[in-house]
Amino acid sequence: MAKKRPQTKAKQPQLKDGEIPVVGAREPCPCGSGRRYKACHGRAAAHAVTELVQRPFEGLPSEGDWVALRELVPAATVELKLKESLPEGVPSVTLATVLPMAWPALRRDDGSVLIGLQNDTPSGDISRDLADTLQRALTAQPGTPIQGRRAPADGPRLQELLDPEGTFEPVVHSGFEFWVPDAEHSTPEVTASLERANAAAIPTVKLSGVDAAYWCETPDKNHLRWVMPYPEEQLLDALARLHAAGRSSLGEGTRLVGSFRAHGLTVPVWDLPTGVTADDVEKPAAEFAERLAAALASDAPLTVDERRARGGLTNRQVTLS
């Protein structure tokens, strides 16, 4: 019998790291190493997807407002300014808390772009996921919603795309009518989504006298939720000093009840009587900000009462992200 000739495989071209596409985890790596993708160039991509960025909005203007719009505010929009000029045919880019049908982004018929902030993101870096969505929306056809996907591990973050000197001025809305400039001609699906969203929206107002503080109204009581940029341990010490001294309230009938932890920042929360409006807490909030600044500046050890107050605040802390 004739001997079988040995089978040889064509040698795959060696690709540079920047040229290697994403493939299935168990498929051969496109680099030509002979290993599976997950054991070769997929390692870095997998790590980037799973690694949680604790402060995804750090370095952006008004980090506290980014956190508030992501976690606390039902309906709001912000005009975004990019580092580079907008592509031809894109008149504006607007960040929104939520978009119809939970779309990550939408290129409207007029070419403008809306980006949704409160969507689930496939990686541990919200900033990178949003930047990828933004880039795809800028080049999409008008009238096209943008679907979610896993952002490339080496893709840009919002900090690289947005103007660091640009202002970030949220406009809080009572409902989601900003979704549909022409409500009469919207699809039944969008109309139904709008009705559901409006029914669930909690009335919310942004305070004008202090940064990243939002009043909201609920059936039982009102609240003030204030995103603060200070290191958590230092802030909790300062709040404990004020709480132990009886100076942590925002007026009669109000009470500091605890805090959230969201995207690397701490969000103290006050209970307010039902009749207390956003206007009513503007002055008390500004006065509290002055008391807090003085407490933050103190480096004296906490007293027994202050440690007890701190323990109470810590026990009532909830992590949102």
Side-chain angles (χ1 to χ4, degrees):
M1 294 178 67
K3 292 183 178 181
K4 293 183 179 180
R5 292 183 179 179
Q7 299 293 316
T8 59
K9 294 183 178 179
K11 191 174 181 180
Q12 288 184 285
Q14 297 294 312
L15 302 178
K16 297 180 181 178
D17 286 354
E19 300 173 343
I20 297 169
V22 175
V23 299
R26 299 178 66 83
E27 294 180 38
C29 187
C31 76
S33 66
R35 291 181 291 173
R36 289 176 177 175
Y37 179 69
K38 69 177 183 179
C40 192
H41 281 83
R43 284 179 174 174
H47 180 71
V49 167
T50 57
E51 184 179 18
L52 177 64
V53 176
Q54 297 290 340
R55 289 180 63 178
F57 307 117
E58 185 177 14
L60 293 172
S62 303
E63 180 186 5
D65 286 310
W66 278 91
V67 172
L69 267 57
R70 168 76 182 184
E71 298 294 343
L72 307 175
V73 182
T77 55
V78 187
E79 293 294 320
L80 297 181
K81 184 179 180 183
L82 275 59
K83 284 183 180 180
E84 306 293 336
S85 299
L86 291 175
E88 184 177 355
V90 180
S92 63
V93 175
T94 302
L95 181 75
T97 48
V98 181
L99 293 180
M101 315 300 292
W103 289 326
L106 171 66
R107 179 91 186 271
R108 280 178 161 164
D109 291 334
D110 66 357
S112 60
V113 168
L114 286 176
I115 304 293
L117 182 57
Q118 293 183 10
N119 294 303
D120 292 334
T121 52
S123 83
D125 187 353
I126 298 171
S127 177
R128 195 179 308 280
D129 290 330
L130 289 172
D132 177 67
T133 300
L134 171 57
Q135 287 188 312
R136 290 187 290 129
L138 290 173
T139 58
Q141 291 296 317
T144 304
I146 307 302
Q147 303 301 324
R149 74 168 189 183
R150 188 180 77 182
D154 59 351
R157 306 178 74 238
L158 285 175
Q159 288 81 347
E160 300 168 58
L161 301 183
L162 301 183
D163 184 353
E165 304 299 325
T167 58
F168 191 85
E169 300 176 351
V171 177
V172 179
H173 304 276
S174 59
F176 295 87
E177 281 71 22
F178 63 86
W179 283 356
V180 282
D182 185 7
E184 293 182 359
H185 296 91
S186 61
T187 65
E189 291 83 0
V190 171
T191 300
S193 183
L194 176 61
E195 291 175 353
R196 289 193 300 270
N198 281 344
I202 296 174
T204 302
V205 177
K206 185 181 188 301
L207 299 194
S208 60
V210 294
D211 293 334
Y214 291 81
W215 170 95
C216 68
E217 180 182 26
T218 61
D220 297 328
K221 62 186 69 175
N222 299 341
H223 305 279
L224 183 73
R225 300 178 290 188
W226 191 342
V227 187
M228 295 188 171
Y230 313 109
E232 180 178 333
E233 297 302 314
Q234 181 186 8
L235 176 58
L236 289 174
D237 282 353
L239 291 174
R241 295 180 197 279
L242 295 176
H243 202 58
R247 305 182 70 206
S248 64
S249 77
L250 299 176
E252 184 178 356
T254 70
R255 186 167 67 99
L256 175 64
V257 293
S259 63
F260 299 136
R261 185 188 290 116
H263 304 293
L265 298 184
T266 304
V267 189
V269 179
W270 285 261
D271 278 353
L272 313 172
T274 301
V276 173
T277 67
D279 287 339
D280 293 333
V281 293
E282 284 280 7
K283 183 178 178 181
E287 293 171 347
F288 178 84
E290 295 179 359
R291 299 196 299 272
L292 180 63
L296 286 166
S298 174
D299 58 1
L302 295 181
T303 65
V304 172
D305 288 341
E306 290 168 350
R307 289 199 300 272
R308 187 179 299 114
R310 193 187 194 283
L313 292 172
T314 302
N315 290 338
R316 296 191 297 273
Q317 193 173 48
V318 177
T319 300
L320 296 183
S321 58

